[in-house]
Amino acid sequence: MSDLGCGRSWEEIHRVRGVELTCPECGGQVHARLSKLDTRHFYHRTKPPSCSLANESLEHHLLKLELVTCARVAGFQAQLEVAAPTGEWRADVMVFSPDGTRLMALEAQLSPITVEEIAARTGLYERDGVRVCWFGFRPRPWVGTVPTLLVQAPEDRGQEWRVTAGLARLSTRPMGWSPVGTTLGDAVSWMLTGRIVPHKPRSSARRVTDEDGWGEWAHGWTRSWNDGWRLWWTAPTYLALDAQGAREEAEARRRQQAEEEAEARRRAIEEKERAQKKAIKDRAYAAFWSRTALNQQQWRYFRAIAELFFSRDLVFGAPDPRYGDGRPVYERGGLVGEQWTLVGVACPDPRRLRASAEELPLLVPSHSELDTLAGRAWAPFQVYVFNPDTGEMDQERVPPAMVSP
């Protein structure tokens, strides 16, 4: 500042005899001088062992100077090394609102610090109602865990400081974050005026990448095993878009969950129906084997004899009450064997014969079954005997007995 922030000119303290200057932290004697870049600064006459101001690097001093300059150019009052009344924190640069209250701390963080330590220091600022942004030059473990901007100093005099990471915009088709490049002066002005705010993404878009999908600064800039920055600076408009995207994703998840639950209910109903049908079929088979007294081997022989006799590819269905609890017999045909034609009934219960017995041939494993059917026939029945024990094959048309169907 032209009056050094205290109503004195540079000429009054630079190379002036009899002027005693002291460090605001350690109280040690300091002197004013110009650097090779004509930057005004102070240095300790005797470097103290524990004064943080004396231990700051030239990079740290230059970054603090640029931050305070950016804040003042943006039209705000800003001071260096402003401490809390309690001494719990001291801001590198404190920016004040027009009414003189503390507005925002701008912290140049170039020395090592843990994620836990910087979170605690950020919490102290937030407790006292002071916003904060941390500035650095390169990736560190804490980067992106608190409001952060990474910056780059100009290579030549006259060039501007640039923001390299920490500022992003949101696109919605498809939804994704992309980096925003700007000068440090613009970024500081935007954050002081509320045009950008720190934001933790709410939607599934959690990466900041270039439009071509490369140049991702939000991934791998903290730890090699970290999944990226947790928050970054963006415009309030993008906060609304991100919130809308999060709501739409939540609604899509709810719809998907509802569809999955409906599908699960449908599958459960189908499974229950299949289980019921299987139970009915199992009972029908159990009754069939019990009534016919055939074992599996006899049944295989019975089927083979029938196919041999008719010279057809036969398929035997499950016991069916529509056919007197006998097993319907189909002839399989067509080019791919998908056409089934009902051609007879195997081993029906003589007590449960229906009208179909008048139209369809009846297949039985013994002549005793033939005699039983003959005793209950109310119309001419065509009966085939295929004895699985003897291999006997016989056919007979049974006349109606003196019974009613």
Side-chain angles (χ1 to χ4, degrees):
M1 300 178 68
S2 58
D3 66 348
L4 304 182
C6 60
R8 304 288 294 273
S9 67
W10 176 256
E11 288 73 20
E12 291 181 74
I13 63 171
H14 182 231
R15 294 184 176 180
V16 177
R17 293 182 179 277
V19 175
E20 293 187 2
L21 306 174
T22 58
C23 172
E25 179 178 342
C26 67
Q29 186 177 7
V30 295
H31 296 286
R33 72 180 177 188
L34 294 172
S35 71
K36 294 180 180 179
L37 300 177
D38 292 332
T39 301
R40 298 172 179 178
H41 67 281
F42 298 95
Y43 69 96
H44 285 72
R45 179 178 181 180
T46 302
K47 186 174 182 179
S50 61
C51 180
S52 61
L53 295 179
N55 294 326
E56 288 180 352
S57 64
L58 177 59
E59 286 182 325
H60 192 259
H61 283 295
L62 292 177
L63 179 53
K64 287 199 303 183
L65 176 62
E66 184 64 23
L67 291 173
V68 74
T69 301
C70 290
R72 291 167 180 169
V73 169
F76 290 84
Q77 179 188 354
Q79 295 181 14
L80 292 163
E81 306 301 333
V82 176
T86 61
E88 292 181 277
W89 51 259
R90 186 183 68 229
D92 287 336
V93 177
M94 180 61 70
V95 183
F96 296 87
S97 60
D99 61 3
T101 58
R102 295 173 303 209
L103 176 64
M104 188 170 189
L106 308 179
E107 289 282 3
Q109 187 59 47
L110 305 185
S111 59
I113 187 172
T114 66
V115 173
E116 293 73 20
E117 289 171 336
I118 203 165
R121 290 176 60 184
T122 301
L124 292 176
Y125 281 120
E126 293 175 346
R127 181 201 64 187
D128 293 342
V130 179
R131 294 186 293 141
V132 62
C133 182
W134 302 85
F135 297 82
F137 287 142
R138 56 189 64 87
R140 289 289 186 266
W142 58 267
V143 166
T145 63
V146 292
T148 306
L149 284 183
L150 294 184
V151 299
Q152 184 177 41
E155 296 182 359
D156 299 317
R157 181 178 297 184
Q159 294 181 336
E160 295 184 283
W161 288 64
R162 304 288 303 179
V163 172
T164 59
L167 183 60
R169 65 167 59 92
L170 180 65
S171 59
T172 56
R173 296 185 179 180
M175 182 169 286
W177 293 91
S178 57
V180 175
T182 187
T183 64
L184 178 57
D186 283 344
V188 170
S189 175
W190 294 343
M191 66 176 59
L192 293 176
T193 56
R195 293 180 60 186
I196 58 174
V197 292
H199 174 60
K200 182 179 294 186
R202 298 175 54 187
S203 67
S204 60
R206 303 277 174 105
R207 296 285 187 273
V208 180
T209 60
D210 291 332
E211 293 181 357
D212 58 3
W214 298 93
E216 182 178 354
W217 56 255
H219 179 68
W221 276 65
T222 51
R223 298 183 178 98
S224 59
W225 61 89
N226 199 333
D227 62 353
W229 289 32
R230 301 177 189 172
L231 73 164
W232 44 77
W233 291 87
T234 192
T237 301
Y238 298 128
L239 270 65
L241 287 176
D242 190 37
Q244 178 182 348
R247 289 192 297 269
E248 292 175 352
E249 290 173 351
E251 179 60 29
R253 287 193 296 271
R254 284 192 293 269
R255 288 197 302 269
Q256 181 179 0
Q257 182 178 0
E259 292 173 357
E260 291 175 351
E261 291 174 351
E263 177 64 18
R265 289 192 296 270
R266 186 189 63 79
R267 289 197 301 268
I269 293 173
E270 291 180 349
E271 183 63 28
K272 182 178 180 180
E273 292 175 349
R274 284 194 296 268
Q276 292 174 341
K277 291 179 180 178
K278 183 178 184 301
I280 293 173
K281 184 181 292 187
D282 290 344
R283 288 194 296 269
Y285 271 114
F288 178 83
W289 298 124
S290 176
R291 177 173 56 81
T292 61
L294 295 172
N295 57 38
Q296 293 292 336
Q297 183 174 2
Q298 289 173 321
W299 177 251
R300 286 195 296 270
Y301 288 160
F302 178 82
R303 291 180 53 181
I305 296 171
E307 290 186 334
L308 178 62
F309 181 86
F310 291 112
S311 299
R312 300 176 184 175
D313 185 8
L314 301 180
V315 176
F316 290 75
D320 194 323
R322 294 175 300 175
Y323 305 110
D325 292 336
R327 300 182 62 170
V329 182
Y330 301 93
E331 178 184 4
R332 183 161 53 189
L335 295 178
V336 292
E338 294 181 351
Q339 296 178 1
W340 290 10
T341 304
L342 183 62
V343 296
V345 178
C347 305
D349 186 344
R351 297 167 300 174
R352 298 181 180 275
L353 290 175
R354 299 293 185 267
S356 59
E358 301 177 20
E359 306 292 336
L360 296 172
L362 306 180
L363 285 61
V364 296
S366 67
H367 278 86
S368 61
E369 292 288 333
L370 169 64
D371 294 339
T372 303
L373 289 174
R376 300 188 65 85
W378 66 85
F381 290 169
Q382 182 66 37
V383 181
Y384 293 87
V385 178
F386 302 119
N387 192 314
D389 296 324
T390 64
E392 179 185 1
M393 296 181 287
D394 194 7
Q395 59 177 316
E396 185 171 338
R397 189 164 183 82
V398 178
M402 299 300 293
V403 297
S404 300

